[in-house]
Amino acid sequence: MKLVSELFEPEPPRWGLRGDPWVWRAMAERLATTYLPPSLGEIERLLYAEFDRLVGVHLATETTEWVVREEFAHGGVSSGAVHLDTWRADLMPLLLDRASSKVAG
């Protein structure tokens, strides 16, 4: 059986703001022992729910571009800032693309 955390390797080459890689790593860690659900829809719900829990906003409905979360602050001007637009446009689609190849394969 495949684990959800496998979707997080390798890390993407670009991030939106400084908090994004910390959210990525926290999601991977939290899902390290979770088996990959059998359907892409279930995987999508799982990933969005975990993001929502960690960041404290509903990614699909939140209208702001970014939020700041102290738990993801590790130095720098935009420390702790999570770029929701990057998660919507790039990072979640990347995870779901990786998931689709795992479910199909």
Side-chain angles (χ1 to χ4, degrees):
M1 297 221 75
K2 297 174 179 127
L3 298 172
V4 176
S5 59
E6 294 173 22
L7 303 176
F8 292 85
E9 291 297 329
E11 289 189 350
R14 288 186 13 247
W15 305 103
L17 292 169
R18 290 181 190 255
D20 294 336
W22 298 101
V23 173
W24 180 276
R25 293 170 193 143
M27 285 180 67
E29 184 178 317
R30 294 267 309 246
L31 298 169
T33 59
T34 302
Y35 291 107
L36 203 60
S39 76
L40 194 55
E42 290 174 277
I43 295 167
E44 182 174 21
R45 282 188 291 281
L46 175 68
L47 291 171
Y48 273 86
E50 191 58 42
F51 181 92
D52 295 354
R53 265 191 295 282
L54 284 168
V55 180
V57 297
H58 188 60
L59 185 60
T61 60
E62 179 61 46
T63 59
T64 60
E65 284 184 47
W66 54 278
V67 294
V68 175
R69 296 295 179 254
E70 288 302 314
E71 60 270 30
F72 302 119
H74 296 277
V77 174
S78 64
S79 183
V82 179
H83 196 243
L84 303 178
D85 285 349
T86 296
W87 278 92
R88 284 188 278 260
D90 300 322
L91 301 177
M92 278 297 188
L94 173 63
L95 291 169
L96 292 170
D97 183 56
R98 291 176 179 179
S100 70
S101 68
K102 299 255 186 208
V103 171

